Amino acid sequence: MKNDITSRMFAAVNSMMLDVLAAVARKDYEDRRRRQAEGTARAKDAGLYKGRPENKARNRAIAAMLRDGRTWREIMDGTGCSRTLLAKISREQKAKMPSELKSAREEEKAEL
């Protein structure tokens, strides 16, 4: 009887301690994330934080592969880029296409 009560008490205390530790860990995590975001925002406001520089050579290679009609899988395997970066470069190319067509038409008109 005493062992049964004791074991239930230990189980309840252990469960409560785990809950407290989990709550403390979560709060610590959220505090670190908040402080990091505040520091990044301050640095951006001061013009000190610019992020990672763009790898222009790799992005030009990706753009060329897209123009050549390669599949996304081939491009990702060939360059080691992520799907997100590939989608970004693809969007940028699609946005440039109408302006390139427009400038090509203007050049044709100028030649006439």
Side-chain angles (χ1 to χ4, degrees), residues 96-108:
K96 286 181 184 177
M97 286 182 76
S99 64
E100 288 176 359
L101 291 173
K102 184 179 177 182
S103 63
R105 287 183 192 146
E106 289 173 357
E107 288 175 10
E108 288 175 6

Side-chain angles (χ1 to χ4, degrees), residues 33-100:
R33 296 286 299 207
R34 180 183 46 79
R35 282 191 219 117
Q36 181 181 17
E38 288 172 356
T40 302
R42 241 185 251 127
K44 282 183 180 180
D45 290 342
L48 301 172
Y49 182 83
K50 295 176 180 69
R52 183 169 39 171
E54 180 180 343
N55 186 338
K56 293 180 182 182
R58 182 192 60 198
N59 292 355
R60 280 193 301 272
I62 292 169
M65 292 171 123
L66 281 168
R67 282 191 302 272
D68 293 342
R70 307 281 285 281
T71 65
W72 281 30
R73 175 53 48 199
E74 290 173 334
I75 296 170
M76 288 188 302
D77 290 343
T79 62
C81 72
S82 68
R83 190 170 189 81
T84 305
L85 177 64
L86 185 51
K88 175 186 168 193
I89 294 171
S90 178
R91 268 193 316 272
E92 289 172 355
Q93 275 198 320
K94 286 178 183 176
K96 286 181 184 177
M97 286 182 76
S99 64
E100 288 176 359

